[in-house]
C-alpha cells in the first residue's frame, strides 16, 4: 500500500510540475486540432527573464523556436511525443498561418479593455491567449496581401498591434516562458474539434473601434 501511495504522489508531482500537461496540450493541438507545433527554446535557468538561445537581447525569452527551427512544426503524433518526452517542460509553439490559426496581439491592458468593449457589443470571439504583457486573439488564416489591403484601408491602426501570420509563431498555454505563464484568457470550448476562430477583418475592425471608443491609445510595448 505504501508503494502504491508513493507512486501516486510521484505521478501527482509530475502533473504539478507541468510535464505530462505539456505533452497532453501539444498532442491536443497537433493531432486533434491539426495545428502544427514544435517545442520552443527554454528560458535560461540561470535567469528566467533571459532566454537560453544565443541572442543576449532576445525579446521573447523562452517563447520562440530555436532548435528545431520553425519549419519543423508538425502535426505528426510520433514526432510530438518524441519532442516532449525528451523535453517535457518545453513551451508549445504554434506555427501560425497556412491551415493553422493566425493571431492579432496587443498590450495586455489595452486588450482587456478592448475585450470588455467587444463583449458589450456582443461580438463573438474565439480563443484568446494571454501572456503577461500581451494578449493574442486567434483568427482565421489570412494572406499578407489580405492583411495589407485591410490595414491600408484604415485611417488609423494602433502601432502596438502585432500580426502573427504565415511564417510567424505564438506560444500556447500552458507554456512557461521567461516572461511568465501563458494562459487562456478565453479558453477553447471542450471537445475534439478545432476551435472556431473569427476572420481577421472582423477582429481588426472591432479592436480598432474599441480602442478608439475607450480612449486607449495602446502604446508601443
Amino acid at each position: 500500500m505504501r508503494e502504491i501511495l508513493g507512486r501516486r504522489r510521484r505521478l501527482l508531482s509530475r502533473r504539478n510540475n507541468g510535464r505530462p500537461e505539456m505533452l497532453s496540450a501539444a498532442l491536443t493541438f497537433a493531432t486533434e486540432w491539426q495545428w502544427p507545433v514544435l517545442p520552443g527554446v527554454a528560458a535560461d535557468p540561470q535567469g528566467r527573464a533571459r532566454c537560453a538561445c544565443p541572442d543576449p537581447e532576445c525579446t521573447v525569452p523562452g517563447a520562440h523556436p530555436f532548435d528545431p527551427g520553425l519549419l519543423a512544426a508538425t502535426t505528426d503524433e510520433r514526432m510530438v511525443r518524441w519532442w516532449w518526452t525528451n523535453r517535457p517542460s518545453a513551451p508549445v509553439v504554434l506555427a501560425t498561418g497556412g491551415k493553422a490559426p493566425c493571431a492579432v496581439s496587443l498590450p495586455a491592458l489595452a486588450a482587456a479593455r478592448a475585450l470588455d468593449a467587444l463583449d458589450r457589443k456582443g461580438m463573438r470571439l474565439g480563443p484568446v491567449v494571454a501572456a503577461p504583457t500581451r494578449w493574442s486573439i486567434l483568427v482565421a488564416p489570412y494572406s499578407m496581401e489580405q492583411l495589407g489591403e485591410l490595414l491600408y484601408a484604415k485611417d488609423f491602426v494602433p502601432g502596438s498591434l502585432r500580426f502573427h501570420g504565415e511564417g510567424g509563431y505564438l506560444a500556447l498555454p500552458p507554456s512557461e516562458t521567461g516572461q511568465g505563464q501563458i494562459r487562456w484568457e478565453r479558453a477553447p470550448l471542450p471537445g475534439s474539434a478545432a476551435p472556431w476562430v473569427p476572420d481577421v477583418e472582423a477582429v481588426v475592425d472591432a479592436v480598432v473601434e474599441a480602442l478608439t471608443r475607450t480612449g486607449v491609445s495602446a502604446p508601443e510595448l
Side-chain angles (χ1 to χ4, degrees):
M1 177 63 72
R2 289 181 178 178
E3 175 59 28
I4 293 175
L5 290 175
R7 182 171 180 269
R8 184 179 180 187
R9 289 193 187 100
R10 288 194 295 272
L11 289 173
L12 289 173
S13 175
R14 288 187 65 205
R15 288 193 185 95
N16 290 335
N17 288 335
R19 293 181 178 178
E21 187 179 21
M22 297 306 302
L23 174 59
S24 176
L27 287 172
T28 295
F29 301 141
T31 64
E32 295 183 16
W33 299 354
Q34 292 297 295
W35 293 1
V37 298
L38 74 164
V41 62
D44 188 340
Q46 302 302 318
R48 295 293 299 175
R50 299 196 304 270
C51 190
C53 76
D55 183 0
E57 299 181 358
C58 179
T59 58
V60 283
H64 66 89
F66 175 63
D67 183 17
L70 185 62
L71 292 179
T74 184
T75 59
D76 182 76
E77 179 178 352
R78 290 175 299 175
M79 192 74 248
V80 169
R81 286 188 180 278
W82 187 86
W83 276 333
W84 272 275
T85 297
N86 287 278
R87 298 168 58 183
S89 61
V92 180
V93 175
L94 167 70
T96 55
K99 295 183 179 180
C102 295
V104 177
S105 73
L106 63 162
L109 178 59
R113 294 180 180 177
L115 261 59
D116 286 342
L118 299 184
D119 287 342
R120 291 193 297 270
K121 187 178 178 180
M123 180 178 174
R124 182 187 180 193
L125 289 176
V128 177
V129 176
T133 59
R134 296 186 72 85
W135 292 5
S136 300
I137 303 172
L138 298 189
V139 298
Y142 58 79
S143 67
M144 294 307 295
E145 292 78 11
Q146 181 183 4
L147 179 64
E149 292 176 1
L150 172 63
L151 299 181
Y152 181 77
K154 293 201 165 298
D155 295 328
F156 169 74
V157 176
S160 61
L161 287 183
R162 298 285 181 268
F163 299 93
H164 307 259
E166 185 76 34
Y169 59 86
L170 184 69
L172 294 175
S175 301
E176 181 74 30
T177 73
Q179 295 178 331
Q181 184 80 33
I182 307 295
R183 62 179 178 81
W184 294 113
E185 174 62 26
R186 301 286 174 90
L189 295 176
S192 59
W196 175 87
V197 291
D199 291 334
V200 67
E201 292 92 343
V203 167
V204 172
D205 289 346
V207 166
V208 171
E209 179 183 359
L211 293 177
T212 303
R213 286 182 176 274
T214 56
V216 178
S217 59
E220 288 282 351
L221 281 178

